Amino acid sequence: MSLLKNLLISCGFLLVVQSTGHASEIIGGKEVPPHSMPYMALLKTRKPVCGGTLIDPKWVLTAAHCVGIKEVLLGVHAIKKKEKESRQVSKVKKSVPHPQYNKGTKVNDLMLLELQTPVTTTKWVKSLKLGQVVKDPAAGSRCLVAGWGGTKEKKKNQKMSAVLMAVNVTVISRADCNSPKHYNGKPAITGGMICAGSTGNTKADTCQGDSGGPFLCNGQLVGVTSFGGKCGDTKETGVYSFLSKKQLKWIKQTMGS
């Protein structure tokens, strides 16, 4: 499936439903059409550090390792432009990391950010509603990741991308991801994680700056960017927190409370 087709499916889904540190960057991706992913959130401490997904006018879903987030920017495409017409900036009222998040094993790498005031729904800012059930993507599935992370392979101290980027990645089975070809069980890739990355000679990955951003399959939010090895590494490929039935229940209960 082409990147453009996946983006169009993602946007169509919106219309139907009304809709290792800070790791993870877009490798091998392309700039998305401006504001074609109106649920994308840019998260800041003193500077932009992570991505997230607006899943409700008052809630953003991201990764638990994205600590210290003070501000959430919506309606962003080009970071350094003023974008006065599209942008909304919200302070974080409360950060709620998953109660069973483990920094060492990286399980349950999910966090909800409650905004001080609900955002206003516009053509540039829209929530991506969660499904009642999320299907576990099969090995070989092509899914979309997006963010403002760096774009250089295997380099440290990456600069954030000037614009929102996206790329299709290919799902790898958990058995393969736990094998010596990939992580070799260090850390263990659990049923709450999804491995996805490059196929063949085409590099596709996430890395520094993209953590917490969405993992989308056929326009549905299926996971959250969690961790990986060196950017673009085909061995230690990107890993995403899977929105299983159990995780969806936690998210909805937290938002409801």
Side-chain angles (χ1 to χ4, degrees):
M1 182 178 290
S2 69
L3 174 61
L4 179 58
K5 185 176 180 182
N6 220 336
L7 284 171
L8 291 173
I9 290 173
S10 179
C11 294
F13 176 75
L14 278 169
L15 294 173
V16 171
V17 298
Q18 184 26 34
S19 61
T20 21
H22 295 303
S24 299
E25 85 204 29
I26 297 298
I27 299 296
K30 296 181 180 179
E31 179 180 355
V32 306
H35 310 295
S36 59
M37 302 176 76
Y39 44 81
M40 284 294 303
L42 181 62
L43 311 185
K44 291 179 64 177
T45 51
R46 287 179 297 176
K47 60 181 182 179
V49 293
C50 281
T53 306
L54 185 71
I55 57 172
D56 176 271
K58 204 172 180 180
W59 293 91
V60 169
L61 179 65
T62 187
H65 75 263
C66 291
V67 297
I69 304 301
K70 305 294 183 186
E71 222 172 45
V72 174
L73 282 65
L74 287 310
V76 178
H77 178 69
I79 291 180
K80 293 185 178 181
K81 290 187 178 180
K82 293 183 179 180
E83 299 177 327
K84 290 182 179 180
E85 188 177 26
S86 64
R87 284 198 191 190
Q88 297 183 46
V89 181
S90 296
K91 299 291 185 182
V92 174
K93 178 180 179 181
K94 181 171 63 177
S95 299
V96 189
H98 193 285
Q100 276 81 52
Y101 168 59
N102 186 303
K103 186 177 179 180
T105 63
K106 307 184 188 300
V107 297
N108 302 307
D109 189 10
L110 295 169
M111 179 165 64
L112 284 164
L113 302 176
E114 183 180 7
L115 307 180
Q116 281 191 355
T117 55
V119 300
T120 301
T121 299
T122 67
K123 65 181 181 180
W124 305 286
V125 177
K126 295 178 182 178
S127 304
L128 180 58
K129 300 298 183 183
L130 294 174
Q132 294 299 315
V133 178
V134 172
K135 184 179 178 181
D136 192 355
S141 300
R142 298 273 283 168
C143 298
L144 188 74
V145 291
W148 290 271
T151 57
K152 305 296 183 184
E153 288 183 36
K154 302 182 180 180
K155 289 188 178 181
K156 295 181 179 180
N157 303 316
Q158 295 266 359
K159 291 183 178 180
M160 298 287 279
S161 169
V163 295
L164 181 60
M165 305 282 285
V167 69
N168 285 308
V169 290
T170 302
V171 175
I172 300 165
S173 74
R174 294 182 180 93
D176 277 353
C177 209
N178 271 317
S179 76
K181 291 189 297 182
H182 293 287
Y183 284 94
N184 201 24
K186 298 176 182 179
I189 304 302
T190 70
M193 300 175 185
I194 300 168
C195 284
S198 309
T199 55
N201 295 322
T202 302
K203 295 291 183 69
D205 197 11
T206 50
C207 208
Q208 295 168 355
D210 289 329
S211 286
F215 182 86
L216 299 152
C217 302
N218 295 320
Q220 183 179 34
L221 184 61
V222 170
V224 168
T225 302
S226 181
F227 68 95
K230 293 179 180 178
C231 305
D233 191 339
T234 56
K235 180 177 172 64
E236 294 186 343
T237 188
V239 181
Y240 305 84
S241 296
F242 174 48
L243 299 184
S244 63
K245 185 177 180 180
K246 183 178 179 181
Q247 302 293 30
L248 288 173
K249 182 178 179 182
W250 169 73
I251 290 168
K252 291 172 182 179
Q253 285 181 341
T254 302
M255 290 167 57
S257 64

